[in-house]
Amino acid sequence: MAELAELLSIASDVLDSAAPRFAEGIGAPSAVEKGRNDFATELDLELERTISQRLAERTGIPVHGEEFGGPQLTSGTTWVLDPIDGTFNYSAGSPMCGMLLALVRDGVPVIGLTWLPILGQRYAAIQDGPLLLNGNPLPSLAPAKLATAMIGFGSFNIDGAGRIPGIFRFNLLGALSRLSGRQRMYGSTGLDLAYTASGILGGSVVFGHHPWDNAAGVALVRAAGGVVTDLLGKDWTIESGSVLAAAPGVHEELLDLIAETADRVRGEVEQ
């Protein structure tokens, strides 16, 4: 644990040193098209190079970044970095964006950091907690009910196909609205998971599977005493295709709702 605490301190220093440049560049336009509705800014590339170099120099641990890749993550020890999470928000000038960093050992996130520089919020934790906000420990998550919780929800295109079709996401959002009229679509997985860990959100439904989006937030939620699985209820791993993170109690209700929605969508398709 002492080793993890030291690595967390170093990682915090590295992200702190990058935060002014992050804040300075907000509003940066698209520079690299990565696919449909996905792009990177020049700041993505610059920050990943800078942060990766500093982490490698100070810790001797390699970095796997969103833009330039890196070592495989199912074995060994690696930093996992998303230099700008919520790129659309960042490019548009929205403060709902940040830097995500996790230390992964044999596929398990043991350190998580979510820096939201524009909002002045720095979430961090090592395995087994506590969750820290701006260096101060937060209480563990208490059991809660879906009816009184705000839920972070991933964005979608209703006509989208792929691993988790848009029509399922649409139907799930509708079903969720009947049980909790407090959905929030922030456009940043890192923010969704950090706010779930801190109790601002009761839970988050994440449709994406990229480790650089999910690993830091998973570490935070686990450290805070939350429950993390994929959307099918299987324990989350670095290879999972989705994330369902929530406070105890809320997680179980969300799982039931997801299963019911999947059955209903499946039935409609088969008719």
Side-chain angles (χ1 to χ4, degrees):
M1 296 295 285
E3 178 204 6
L4 291 182
E6 181 179 357
L7 289 171
L8 176 61
S9 178
I10 293 171
S12 298
D13 286 345
V14 170
L15 292 188
D16 281 345
S17 69
R21 182 62 176 139
F22 179 100
E24 175 185 299
I26 192 167
S30 167
V32 180
E33 296 297 328
K34 296 164 60 178
R36 186 175 182 274
N37 288 331
D38 193 14
F39 64 88
T41 70
E42 288 290 355
L43 263 294
D44 280 283
L45 310 180
E46 176 189 325
L47 287 171
E48 183 164 319
R49 290 189 189 99
T50 300
I51 293 170
S52 297
Q53 180 180 355
R54 290 172 180 169
L55 284 171
E57 288 174 351
R58 295 188 61 180
T59 68
I61 298 171
V63 180
H64 185 118
E66 176 179 3
E67 308 305 334
F68 298 113
Q72 60 87 29
L73 300 173
T74 55
S75 64
T77 300
T78 307
W79 293 107
V80 184
L81 171 66
D82 186 348
I84 301 178
D85 177 63
T87 307
F88 272 89
N89 291 350
Y90 184 81
S91 187
S94 166
M96 303 298 188
C97 53
M99 298 182 286
L100 311 181
L101 181 63
L103 185 69
V104 173
R105 283 184 172 165
D106 297 329
V108 178
V110 294
I111 296 177
L113 303 96
T114 296
W115 255 229
L116 309 173
I118 313 303
L119 298 174
Q121 297 170 339
R122 302 156 65 249
Y123 290 92
I126 61 175
Q127 195 171 42
D128 300 324
L131 174 68
L132 304 174
L133 172 57
N134 295 339
N136 300 310
L138 298 180
S140 297
L141 293 174
K145 295 290 186 181
L146 178 57
T148 58
M150 290 198 301
I151 303 298
F153 199 88
S155 58
F156 64 93
N157 170 6
I158 192 171
D159 294 323
R163 298 175 308 104
I164 306 175
I167 189 63
F168 168 77
R169 305 182 191 200
F170 175 78
N171 278 272
L172 179 59
L173 182 61
L176 179 59
S177 72
R178 296 186 180 98
L179 297 180
S180 171
R182 302 173 178 86
Q183 295 79 47
R184 299 292 182 267
M185 197 174 290
Y186 290 126
S188 164
T189 297
L191 187 146
D192 282 347
L193 293 174
Y195 281 10
T196 297
S198 64
I200 295 172
L201 295 174
S204 293
V205 180
V206 177
F207 300 112
H209 66 285
H210 295 302
W212 49 82
D213 289 327
N214 298 335
V218 166
L220 298 180
V221 175
R222 285 176 172 171
V227 184
V228 185
T229 66
D230 66 10
L231 296 187
L232 297 176
K234 299 177 182 177
D235 285 344
W236 186 89
T237 74
I238 203 71
E239 297 179 306
S240 292
S242 58
V243 182
L244 181 65
V250 176
H251 186 275
E252 289 81 354
E253 291 187 75
L254 285 172
L255 265 186
D256 289 342
L257 183 64
I258 290 167
E260 292 169 5
T261 303
D263 288 343
R264 184 170 63 256
V265 171
R266 191 178 302 114
E268 292 172 354
V269 170
E270 291 173 353
Q271 287 179 356

